[in-house]
Amino acid sequence: MTTTGEDHATAAGGPWWWARWRSAALDAGLASVSALECAAEGIEFARDAGIPAAAGVVFGVLAGSALLVRRKWPIAVVLVSIAITPAQMGYLMGIVGLYTLAASELPRRIIGSLAGMSLVGMLIVMFVRVRQDMAHGDLDLGDWFVPFASITTAVGMTAPPLLLGLYVGARRRLMESLRERADSLERELQLLAERAEERAEWARNEERTRIAREMHDVVAHRVSLMVVHAAALQAVARKDPEKAVRNAVLVGDMGRQALTELREMLGVLRSGDGVRGRERPVPLAAVGAVSGVVAAAAVPDAEEGEGPCLSELDELLGQSAAAGMVVDLSVEGEKRSYAAEIEQTAYRVVQEALTNVHKHAAGAKTHVRLAHRAAEIAMQVENEPPPEPASASSARLPSGGNGLVGMKERVVALGGVFVSGPTDAGGFRVSAVIPAS
């Protein structure tokens, strides 16, 4: 992030109250010139006052040196210049002091009051001085010249440094405000970029979870049926060659279906490579780039409309029946079409529930119930206890424990309710309700 404002001043460093050494050298130079001016004018002041010239010089040097603290105490410098105005010295100090006062952060009423005091003091001193010069015969221009010269000199010594200081102060405050706004905007953009990167990471994690869920749904069911048919094929290969051939055909068909679905899924993933490959963590521009990635992360979801639907339930149940499962399907309500993601989720819930029956309760009778309601669709898959406890492990189907979790995630993501657990009869029940809209 670009550093501006006070950080620059701190980085440069200067003695005491100065922000930079250059400012300290400038003030020291102005104070030296002012001290010399006041010292020279102090000689004439000492002669008029009837005091030693050395005292006038010392007084002038001390008064003129006050310009050294103009940045720290501008009010004190202006007051000193006003105080020595009757001595007709400190003109440089008065001009620089008014400029510094006007450019400072002091309230305008204080600046106006001190500027008015300086103007009145200069006006009175010049009026007296010009009148004395005319009385001594040094000037002979008429009475009109006294007020004219007094006002012109007072305004000329006061107005220009005051206006210039006000302009410089306003410009400095504007620049500081712009720097602060730029820093604030840059911090906000950096924060937005970080948040967008977090959103992109969240989207990637969600996409990985979705892909893992799809892979589990596609592979687990098909492969489970293939393992069941392979076990049956091994058991009847010698006793019933014709049944063995049918089981072998079913194994081949299911394998081809699994490969087809895997190819479709991999095709979706490959089509998103070009979009994801453009992701770069670029500062400031990361807001647009990462937001694009977040939008791109949702592209594969559009392909979900090509997934399975409720009209394919009969085929799904037929595959399980061909594997030796007794499946009973009952449908309540009038059949109608739903959104693609709703039909796919309902299909996957039934599919995964049947897969679990193959894994943990092989040979158990299973009841599949589908209810079309006004505002929702409900499904329930319940299996009875397996006829032979040992048959559940005869096919040696592994279980990763992710099936129920994946089903619940799918249903809850659509605002539905998912419940699963054992029944009193010793079986297992999976129930889900999904809003229809």
Side-chain angles (χ1 to χ4, degrees), residues 227-292:
V227 173
V228 171
H229 282 292
L233 176 63
Q234 182 180 5
V236 302
R238 295 181 180 178
K239 299 178 182 179
D240 192 347
E242 293 184 1
K243 187 175 181 180
V245 170
R246 289 195 300 271
N247 287 339
V249 172
L250 288 175
V251 170
D253 291 341
M254 293 177 186
R256 281 187 290 272
Q257 291 175 2
L259 287 175
T260 300
E261 293 187 16
L262 287 174
R263 287 194 187 99
E264 291 176 356
M265 187 176 301
L266 292 176
V268 171
L269 296 178
R270 290 194 186 98
S271 66
D273 289 343
V275 177
R276 297 175 186 273
R278 290 195 295 268
E279 181 186 352
R280 295 289 187 275
V282 181
L284 301 183
V287 177
V290 176
S291 299

Side-chain angles (χ1 to χ4, degrees), residues 296-313:
V299 171
D301 292 339
E303 303 294 336
E304 292 185 358
E306 301 178 1
C309 56
L310 292 177
S311 61
E312 301 176 13
L313 271 183

Side-chain angles (χ1 to χ4, degrees), residues 191 262 390 405:
L191 181 60
L262 287 174
V405 175

Side-chain angles (χ1 to χ4, degrees), residues 273-362:
D273 289 343
V275 177
R276 297 175 186 273
R278 290 195 295 268
E279 181 186 352
R280 295 289 187 275
V282 181
L284 301 183
V287 177
V290 176
S291 299
V293 175
V294 174
V299 171
D301 292 339
E303 303 294 336
E304 292 185 358
E306 301 178 1
C309 56
L310 292 177
S311 61
E312 301 176 13
L313 271 183
D314 292 336
E315 181 182 355
L316 177 66
L317 299 181
Q319 293 173 353
S320 295
M325 179 187 296
V326 179
V327 187
D328 178 25
L329 173 64
S330 62
V331 180
E332 300 176 5
E334 184 179 354
K335 293 183 179 180
R336 65 180 187 274
S337 60
Y338 301 92
E341 55 185 4
I342 295 177
E343 294 208 8
Q344 182 178 358
T345 300
Y347 179 93
R348 293 301 189 192
V349 169
V350 176
Q351 182 189 53
E352 181 59 31
L354 294 177
T355 301
N356 287 341
V357 175
H358 284 295
K359 289 182 179 180
H360 307 290

